[in-house]
Structure formats: C-alpha cells, structure tokens
Coordinates of all heavy atoms in Angstrom, one line a residue:
M1 N 0.8 -1.2 0.0 CA 0.0 0.0 0.0 C 0.9 1.3 0.0 O 1.9 1.4 0.7 CB -0.9 0.0 1.2 CG -1.8 1.1 1.3 SD -2.8 0.7 2.6 CE -4.0 1.6 2.9
I2 N 0.5 2.1 -0.8 CA 1.3 3.4 -0.9 C 0.8 4.4 0.1 O -0.4 4.7 0.1 CB 1.2 4.0 -2.3 CG1 1.7 3.0 -3.4 CG2 1.9 5.2 -2.4 CD1 1.4 3.4 -4.8
E3 N 1.7 4.8 1.0 CA 1.3 5.9 1.9 C 2.0 7.2 1.4 O 3.2 7.2 1.1 CB 1.9 5.5 3.3 CG 1.2 4.3 3.9 CD -0.2 4.6 4.3 OE1 -0.5 5.8 4.6 OE2 -1.0 3.7 4.3
G4 N 1.2 8.2 1.3 CA 1.7 9.5 0.9 C 1.0 10.6 1.5 O 0.1 10.5 2.3
K5 N 1.3 11.8 1.0 CA 0.5 13.0 1.5 C -0.8 13.0 1.0 O -1.0 12.9 -0.3 CB 1.4 14.2 1.1 CG 0.9 15.4 1.8 CD 1.8 16.6 1.4 CE 1.5 17.8 2.2 NZ 2.4 18.9 2.0
G6 N -1.8 13.1 1.9 CA -3.2 13.3 1.5 C -3.9 11.9 1.2 O -5.1 12.0 0.9
L7 N -3.2 10.8 1.4 CA -3.9 9.5 1.2 C -4.4 9.1 2.5 O -3.8 9.2 3.5 CB -2.9 8.5 0.6 CG -2.4 8.8 -0.8 CD1 -1.4 7.7 -1.3 CD2 -3.5 8.9 -1.8
V8 N -5.6 8.5 2.4 CA -6.3 7.9 3.6 C -6.5 6.4 3.3 O -6.9 6.0 2.2 CB -7.6 8.5 3.9 CG1 -8.3 7.9 5.1 CG2 -7.4 10.0 4.2
S9 N -6.2 5.5 4.3 CA -6.3 4.1 4.1 C -7.8 3.7 3.9 O -8.7 4.2 4.6 CB -5.8 3.4 5.4 OG -6.0 2.0 5.3
I10 N -8.0 2.8 3.1 CA -9.4 2.3 2.9 C -9.9 1.6 4.1 O -11.1 1.5 4.3 CB -9.4 1.3 1.6 CG1 -10.9 0.9 1.2 CG2 -8.6 0.1 1.9 CD1 -11.6 2.0 0.7
W11 N -9.1 1.1 5.0 CA -9.5 0.4 6.2 C -10.1 1.3 7.2 O -11.0 0.9 7.9 CB -8.3 -0.4 6.8 CG -7.9 -1.5 5.9 CD1 -6.7 -1.5 5.2 CD2 -8.6 -2.7 5.5 NE1 -6.7 -2.7 4.4 CE2 -7.8 -3.4 4.7 CE3 -9.8 -3.2 5.9 CZ2 -8.3 -4.7 4.1 CZ3 -10.3 -4.4 5.4 CH2 -9.5 -5.1 4.6
F12 N -9.7 2.6 7.1 CA -10.4 3.6 7.9 C -11.9 3.8 7.5 O -12.7 3.8 8.4 CB -9.6 4.9 7.8 CG -10.3 6.0 8.5 CD1 -10.5 6.1 9.9 CD2 -11.0 7.1 7.7 CE1 -11.1 7.2 10.5 CE2 -11.7 8.1 8.4 CZ -11.7 8.2 9.7
F13 N -12.1 3.8 6.3 CA -13.5 3.9 5.8 C -14.3 2.7 6.0 O -15.5 2.8 6.4 CB -13.5 4.3 4.3 CG -13.0 5.7 4.0 CD1 -11.8 5.8 3.3 CD2 -13.6 6.8 4.3 CE1 -11.3 7.1 3.1 CE2 -13.1 8.0 4.1 CZ -11.9 8.2 3.5
I14 N -13.7 1.5 5.9 CA -14.4 0.3 6.2 C -14.7 0.2 7.7 O -15.8 -0.2 8.1 CB -13.5 -1.0 5.8 CG1 -13.5 -1.0 4.3 CG2 -14.1 -2.2 6.3 CD1 -12.5 -2.0 3.7
G15 N -13.8 0.6 8.5 CA -14.0 0.6 10.0 C -15.2 1.6 10.3 O -16.0 1.3 11.1
T16 N -15.2 2.8 9.7 CA -16.2 3.7 9.9 C -17.6 3.2 9.5 O -18.6 3.3 10.2 CB -16.0 5.1 9.2 OG1 -14.7 5.5 9.6 CG2 -17.0 6.1 9.5
L17 N -17.6 2.5 8.3 CA -18.9 2.0 7.9 C -19.4 0.9 8.8 O -20.5 0.8 9.1 CB -18.7 1.4 6.5 CG -19.9 1.0 5.7 CD1 -20.9 2.1 5.6 CD2 -19.5 0.4 4.3
L18 N -18.5 0.0 9.2 CA -18.8 -1.1 10.1 C -19.3 -0.5 11.4 O -20.3 -1.1 12.1 CB -17.6 -2.0 10.4 CG -17.2 -3.0 9.3 CD1 -15.9 -3.7 9.6 CD2 -18.3 -3.9 8.9
F19 N -18.8 0.5 11.9 CA -19.2 1.1 13.2 C -20.6 1.7 13.0 O -21.4 1.5 13.9 CB -18.3 2.3 13.6 CG -18.5 2.8 14.9 CD1 -18.1 2.2 16.1 CD2 -19.2 4.0 15.1 CE1 -18.4 2.7 17.3 CE2 -19.5 4.5 16.3 CZ -19.0 3.9 17.5
I20 N -20.8 2.4 11.9 CA -22.2 3.0 11.7 C -23.3 1.8 11.6 O -24.4 1.9 12.2 CB -22.2 3.8 10.4 CG1 -21.4 5.1 10.6 CG2 -23.7 4.2 10.0 CD1 -21.1 5.9 9.4
Y21 N -22.9 0.7 10.9 CA -23.8 -0.4 10.7 C -24.0 -1.0 12.1 O -25.1 -1.5 12.5 CB -23.3 -1.5 9.8 CG -23.5 -1.1 8.3 CD1 -22.7 -1.7 7.4 CD2 -24.4 -0.2 7.9 CE1 -22.9 -1.5 6.1 CE2 -24.5 0.1 6.5 CZ -23.7 -0.5 5.6 OH -23.9 -0.2 4.3
G22 N -23.0 -1.1 12.9 CA -23.1 -1.6 14.3 C -24.0 -0.8 15.1 O -24.8 -1.4 15.9
V23 N -24.0 0.5 15.0 CA -24.9 1.4 15.8 C -26.3 1.1 15.4 O -27.2 0.9 16.2 CB -24.5 2.8 15.6 CG1 -25.6 3.8 16.1 CG2 -23.2 3.2 16.2
L24 N -26.6 1.0 14.1 CA -27.9 0.8 13.6 C -28.5 -0.6 14.0 O -29.6 -0.7 14.5 CB -28.0 0.9 12.0 CG -27.7 2.3 11.5 CD1 -27.6 2.3 10.0 CD2 -28.7 3.3 12.0
I25 N -27.6 -1.6 13.9 CA -28.1 -3.0 14.2 C -28.3 -3.2 15.7 O -29.3 -3.8 16.2 CB -27.2 -4.1 13.6 CG1 -27.3 -4.0 12.1 CG2 -27.5 -5.4 14.1 CD1 -26.2 -4.8 11.4
F26 N -27.4 -2.6 16.5 CA -27.4 -2.7 17.9 C -28.6 -2.0 18.5 O -29.3 -2.4 19.3 CB -26.1 -2.1 18.5 CG -26.0 -2.3 20.0 CD1 -25.7 -3.5 20.6 CD2 -26.2 -1.2 20.9 CE1 -25.6 -3.7 21.9 CE2 -26.1 -1.4 22.3 CZ -25.8 -2.7 22.8
G27 N -28.8 -0.8 17.9 CA -30.1 0.0 18.3 C -31.3 -0.7 18.0 O -32.3 -0.8 18.8
A28 N -31.5 -1.4 16.8 CA -32.7 -2.1 16.5 C -32.7 -3.4 17.4 O -33.8 -3.8 17.8 CB -32.5 -2.6 15.0
G29 N -31.6 -4.0 17.8 CA -31.7 -5.1 18.7 C -32.1 -4.7 20.1 O -32.9 -5.4 20.7
I30 N -31.7 -3.6 20.6 CA -32.1 -3.1 21.9 C -33.6 -2.7 21.8 O -34.4 -3.1 22.8 CB -31.3 -1.8 22.3 CG1 -29.9 -2.2 22.6 CG2 -31.9 -1.1 23.5 CD1 -29.7 -3.2 23.7
Y31 N -34.0 -2.1 20.7 CA -35.5 -1.8 20.5 C -36.3 -3.1 20.6 O -37.3 -3.2 21.2 CB -35.7 -1.1 19.2 CG -37.1 -0.8 18.9 CD1 -37.8 0.2 19.6 CD2 -37.8 -1.6 18.0 CE1 -39.2 0.5 19.3 CE2 -39.2 -1.3 17.7 CZ -39.8 -0.3 18.4 OH -41.1 0.0 18.1
N32 N -35.8 -4.2 19.9 CA -36.6 -5.4 19.9 C -36.6 -6.1 21.2 O -37.4 -7.0 21.5 CB -36.0 -6.4 18.9 CG -36.5 -5.9 17.5 OD1 -37.4 -5.3 17.3 ND2 -35.7 -6.3 16.4
L33 N -35.7 -5.8 22.2 CA -35.8 -6.3 23.6 C -37.0 -5.8 24.3 O -37.6 -6.6 25.0 CB -34.5 -5.9 24.3 CG -33.2 -6.6 24.0 CD1 -32.1 -6.0 24.8 CD2 -33.3 -8.1 24.3
F34 N -37.3 -4.6 24.0 CA -38.5 -4.0 24.7 C -39.8 -4.1 23.9 O -40.9 -4.2 24.6 CB -38.2 -2.6 25.1 CG -37.1 -2.3 26.0 CD1 -35.8 -1.9 25.5 CD2 -37.1 -2.7 27.3 CE1 -34.7 -1.7 26.3 CE2 -36.1 -2.5 28.2 CZ -34.9 -2.1 27.7
V35 N -39.7 -4.2 22.6 CA -40.9 -4.3 21.8 C -40.7 -5.5 20.9 O -40.1 -5.5 19.8 CB -41.1 -3.0 20.9 CG1 -42.3 -3.2 20.0 CG2 -41.1 -1.8 21.7
P36 N -41.3 -6.7 21.3 CA -41.1 -8.0 20.6 C -41.7 -7.9 19.2 O -42.7 -7.2 19.0 CB -41.7 -9.0 21.5 CG -42.2 -8.3 22.6 CD -42.0 -6.9 22.6
M37 N -41.1 -8.6 18.2 CA -41.6 -8.6 16.9 C -42.9 -9.5 16.8 O -43.1 -10.4 17.6 CB -40.6 -9.1 15.9 CG -39.5 -8.1 15.9 SD -38.3 -8.5 14.5 CE -37.9 -10.1 14.6
D38 N -43.8 -9.1 15.9 CA -45.0 -9.9 15.7 C -45.1 -10.2 14.2 O -45.2 -9.3 13.4 CB -46.2 -9.1 16.2 CG -47.5 -9.9 16.1 OD1 -47.4 -11.1 16.6 OD2 -48.6 -9.4 15.7
P39 N -45.1 -11.5 13.7 CA -44.9 -12.7 14.5 C -43.5 -12.9 15.0 O -42.6 -12.4 14.5 CB -45.3 -13.7 13.4 CG -44.9 -13.1 12.2 CD -45.1 -11.6 12.3
P40 N -43.5 -13.6 16.1 CA -42.2 -13.9 16.7 C -41.2 -14.7 15.9 O -41.6 -15.5 15.1 CB -42.6 -14.6 18.1 CG -43.9 -15.2 17.8 CD -44.6 -14.3 16.9
V41 N -40.0 -14.3 16.0 CA -38.9 -15.0 15.3 C -38.6 -16.3 16.1 O -38.6 -16.3 17.4 CB -37.7 -14.1 15.1 CG1 -36.5 -14.8 14.4 CG2 -38.1 -12.8 14.4
V42 N -38.1 -17.4 15.4 CA -37.9 -18.7 16.1 C -36.8 -18.5 17.1 O -37.0 -19.0 18.2 CB -37.5 -19.7 15.1 CG1 -37.1 -21.0 15.7 CG2 -38.7 -19.9 14.1
L43 N -35.7 -17.9 16.8 CA -34.5 -17.8 17.8 C -34.4 -16.5 18.4 O -33.3 -16.0 18.7 CB -33.2 -18.2 17.0 CG -33.2 -19.7 16.6 CD1 -31.9 -19.9 15.8 CD2 -33.3 -20.7 17.7
E44 N -35.6 -15.9 18.7 CA -35.6 -14.4 19.2 C -34.9 -14.4 20.6 O -34.3 -13.4 20.9 CB -37.0 -14.0 19.4 CG -37.1 -12.6 19.8 CD -38.6 -12.1 19.9 OE1 -39.5 -13.0 19.7 OE2 -38.8 -10.9 20.1
R45 N -34.9 -15.5 21.3 CA -34.4 -15.5 22.7 C -32.8 -15.3 22.7 O -32.1 -15.0 23.7 CB -34.7 -16.8 23.5 CG -34.0 -18.0 22.9 CD -34.4 -19.2 23.6 NE -33.7 -20.4 23.3 CZ -33.8 -21.1 22.2 NH1 -34.6 -20.7 21.2 NH2 -33.0 -22.1 22.0
L46 N -32.2 -15.5 21.5 CA -30.7 -15.4 21.4 C -30.2 -13.9 21.2 O -29.1 -13.6 21.4 CB -30.1 -16.2 20.2 CG -30.3 -17.7 20.4 CD1 -29.8 -18.4 19.2 CD2 -29.6 -18.2 21.6
H47 N -31.2 -13.0 20.9 CA -30.9 -11.6 20.7 C -29.7 -11.4 19.7 O -28.8 -10.8 20.0 CB -30.7 -10.9 22.0 CG -31.7 -11.2 23.0 ND1 -33.0 -10.7 22.8 CD2 -31.7 -11.9 24.2 CE1 -33.7 -11.2 23.9 NE2 -33.0 -11.8 24.7
A48 N -29.9 -11.9 18.5 CA -28.8 -11.8 17.5 C -28.5 -10.4 17.1 O -27.3 -10.1 16.8 CB -29.2 -12.7 16.3
G49 N -29.5 -9.5 17.0 CA -29.2 -8.2 16.7 C -28.3 -7.5 17.7 O -27.5 -6.7 17.3
V50 N -28.5 -7.7 19.0 CA -27.6 -7.1 20.0 C -26.2 -7.6 19.9 O -25.3 -6.9 19.9 CB -28.2 -7.4 21.4 CG1 -27.3 -6.9 22.5 CG2 -29.6 -6.8 21.5
W51 N -26.1 -9.0 19.7 CA -24.7 -9.6 19.7 C -24.0 -9.1 18.4 O -22.8 -8.7 18.4 CB -24.8 -11.1 19.7 CG -25.1 -11.6 21.1 CD1 -26.3 -12.0 21.5 CD2 -24.2 -11.6 22.2 NE1 -26.3 -12.4 22.8 CE2 -25.0 -12.2 23.3 CE3 -22.9 -11.3 22.4 CZ2 -24.4 -12.3 24.5 CZ3 -22.4 -11.5 23.5 CH2 -23.0 -12.0 24.7
W52 N -24.7 -9.2 17.2 CA -24.1 -8.8 16.0 C -23.8 -7.4 16.0 O -22.7 -7.0 15.4 CB -25.0 -9.2 14.8 CG -24.4 -9.0 13.5 CD1 -24.9 -8.1 12.5 CD2 -23.3 -9.6 12.9 NE1 -24.1 -8.2 11.5 CE2 -23.1 -9.1 11.6 CE3 -22.3 -10.6 13.4 CZ2 -22.0 -9.5 10.8 CZ3 -21.3 -11.0 12.5 CH2 -21.1 -10.4 11.3
G53 N -24.7 -6.5 16.4 CA -24.4 -5.1 16.5 C -23.3 -4.7 17.3 O -22.4 -3.9 17.0
G54 N -23.2 -5.4 18.5 CA -22.1 -5.1 19.4 C -20.7 -5.6 18.8 O -19.7 -4.9 18.9
F55 N -20.7 -6.7 18.1 CA -19.5 -7.1 17.4 C -19.1 -6.2 16.3 O -17.9 -5.8 16.2 CB -19.8 -8.6 16.8 CG -18.7 -9.0 15.9 CD1 -17.5 -9.5 16.5 CD2 -18.8 -9.1 14.5 CE1 -16.4 -9.9 15.7 CE2 -17.7 -9.5 13.7 CZ -16.6 -10.0 14.3
L56 N -20.0 -5.7 15.6 CA -19.7 -4.7 14.6 C -19.2 -3.4 15.1 O -18.3 -2.7 14.6 CB -20.9 -4.5 13.6 CG -21.2 -5.5 12.6 CD1 -22.5 -5.1 11.8 CD2 -20.1 -5.9 11.7
L57 N -19.7 -3.0 16.3 CA -19.3 -1.8 17.0 C -17.9 -1.9 17.4 O -17.0 -1.0 17.2 CB -20.2 -1.5 18.2 CG -21.5 -0.7 18.0 CD1 -22.3 -0.8 19.3 CD2 -21.2 0.6 17.5
V58 N -17.5 -3.1 17.9 CA -16.1 -3.3 18.4 C -15.1 -3.4 17.2 O -14.1 -2.8 17.2 CB -16.1 -4.6 19.2 CG1 -14.6 -5.0 19.6 CG2 -16.8 -4.4 20.5
L59 N -15.5 -4.2 16.3 CA -14.7 -4.3 15.1 C -14.5 -3.0 14.3 O -13.4 -2.7 13.9 CB -15.2 -5.4 14.1 CG -14.3 -5.8 12.9 CD1 -13.1 -6.4 13.4 CD2 -15.1 -6.7 12.0
G60 N -15.6 -2.3 14.1 CA -15.5 -1.0 13.4 C -14.7 0.0 14.2 O -14.0 0.8 13.6
G61 N -14.9 0.0 15.5 CA -14.1 1.0 16.3 C -12.6 0.7 16.3 O -11.8 1.6 16.2
F62 N -12.3 -0.6 16.3 CA -10.9 -1.0 16.2 C -10.2 -0.6 14.9 O -9.2 0.2 14.8 CB -10.8 -2.5 16.4 CG -9.4 -3.0 16.1 CD1 -8.3 -2.7 16.9 CD2 -9.0 -3.6 14.8 CE1 -7.0 -3.2 16.7 CE2 -7.8 -4.0 14.5 CZ -6.8 -3.8 15.4
Y63 N -11.0 -0.8 13.8 CA -10.4 -0.4 12.5 C -10.3 1.1 12.3 O -9.4 1.6 11.8 CB -11.3 -1.0 11.3 CG -10.8 -2.4 11.0 CD1 -11.5 -3.6 11.4 CD2 -9.7 -2.6 10.2 CE1 -11.1 -4.8 11.0 CE2 -9.3 -3.9 9.8 CZ -10.0 -5.0 10.3 OH -9.6 -6.3 9.9
A64 N -11.4 1.8 12.7 CA -11.4 3.2 12.6 C -10.3 3.9 13.4 O -9.7 4.9 13.0 CB -12.8 3.8 12.9
I65 N -10.1 3.4 14.6 CA -9.0 4.0 15.5 C -7.6 3.5 15.0 O -6.7 4.4 14.9 CB -9.3 3.6 16.9 CG1 -10.5 4.3 17.5 CG2 -8.1 4.0 17.8 CD1 -11.0 3.8 18.9
H66 N -7.5 2.3 14.7 CA -6.2 1.8 14.3 C -5.7 2.4 13.0 O -4.5 2.7 12.8 CB -6.2 0.3 14.2 CG -4.8 -0.4 13.9 ND1 -3.9 -0.3 14.8 CD2 -4.4 -1.0 12.8 CE1 -2.8 -0.9 14.3 NE2 -3.1 -1.3 13.1
F67 N -6.5 2.6 12.0 CA -6.2 3.1 10.7 C -6.6 4.6 10.5 O -6.7 5.0 9.3 CB -6.8 2.2 9.6 CG -6.2 0.9 9.6 CD1 -7.0 -0.2 10.1 CD2 -5.0 0.6 9.1 CE1 -6.5 -1.5 10.0 CE2 -4.4 -0.7 9.1 CZ -5.2 -1.7 9.6
R68 N -6.8 5.4 11.6 CA -7.2 6.7 11.4 C -6.1 7.6 10.7 O -4.9 7.2 11.0 CB -7.7 7.4 12.7 CG -6.6 7.6 13.7 CD -7.1 8.1 15.0 NE -6.0 8.4 15.9 CZ -5.5 7.5 16.8 NH1 -5.9 6.4 16.8 NH2 -4.5 7.9 17.5
P69 N -6.4 8.6 10.0 CA -5.4 9.4 9.4 C -4.7 10.2 10.5 O -5.3 10.7 11.4 CB -6.2 10.4 8.5 CG -7.5 9.9 8.4 CD -7.7 8.9 9.6
R70 N -3.3 10.2 10.4 CA -2.5 10.9 11.3 C -1.7 12.0 10.7 O -1.3 11.8 9.5 CB -1.6 10.0 12.1 CG -2.3 8.9 12.9 CD -1.3 8.0 13.6 NE -2.0 7.0 14.3 CZ -2.2 5.8 13.9 NH1 -1.7 5.4 12.7 NH2 -2.8 4.9 14.7
R71 N -1.5 13.1 11.4 CA -0.5 14.1 10.9 C 0.8 13.7 11.4 O 1.0 13.4 12.6 CB -0.9 15.4 11.4 CG -2.2 15.9 10.8 CD -2.5 17.3 11.2 NE -3.8 17.7 10.5 CZ -4.4 18.8 10.8 NH1 -3.9 19.7 11.5 NH2 -5.6 19.1 10.2
K72 N 1.8 13.9 10.6 CA 3.2 13.5 10.9 C 4.0 14.7 11.3 O 3.8 15.8 10.8 CB 3.8 12.7 9.8 CG 3.1 11.4 9.6 CD 3.9 10.4 8.9 CE 2.9 9.2 8.8 NZ 3.5 8.0 8.4

C-alpha cells in the first residue's frame, strides 16, 4: 500500500462503515428487547441483533481507530 501525503487508508473507511452499521443494528436489537416482533422469530431469545451489532461496533471501532489518518 502506498502511503503518501493526502492519502487515507481504505481500512479507515471500512471501519467507519462497520461502526455505523453496528450502531444501527445494535439500536434495532435493543429496541426489539423491549418491543417484541409480531410474528415472533424462532430464535428471538438469542438476541442476535444485540450480539451482531455489538460485534460490529467493536470491530469497526478498532479499524477506525487503528487506521485513522494521522498528521506527521
């Protein structure tokens, strides 16, 4: 990968996108904890939205922080 003046790593943008998706999915999962879906989902008790959203938040946060643009 070529690092130069004015270039930003693609991984920073991927991390930001994953973080945004994590916020949306995690928020929907928390909402579904208090307002159950109708008709109910078969494996609703596992709260996949909360787990998946939390995973995306952590992964996206790691990539966004680790690959953030820095001034030298």
Side-chain angles (χ1 to χ4, degrees):
M1 181 171 188
I2 300 173
E3 293 290 331
K5 191 173 187 177
L7 295 178
V8 178
S9 174
I10 187 69
W11 295 109
F12 171 72
F13 293 111
I14 291 173
T16 304
L17 188 62
L18 288 175
F19 187 81
I20 292 169
Y21 284 160
V23 167
L24 294 174
I25 294 171
F26 188 75
I30 294 296
Y31 176 77
N32 285 334
L33 283 175
F34 297 106
V35 180
M37 295 194 309
D38 187 44
V41 179
V42 176
L43 296 175
E44 186 178 7
R45 70 183 190 285
L46 296 178
H47 308 294
V50 175
W51 288 103
W52 184 244
F55 174 71
L56 287 178
L57 278 171
V58 170
L59 185 65
F62 170 76
Y63 274 102
I65 291 171
H66 184 68
F67 293 106
R68 73 183 180 272
R70 296 182 183 97
R71 294 186 182 178
K72 298 196 180 200

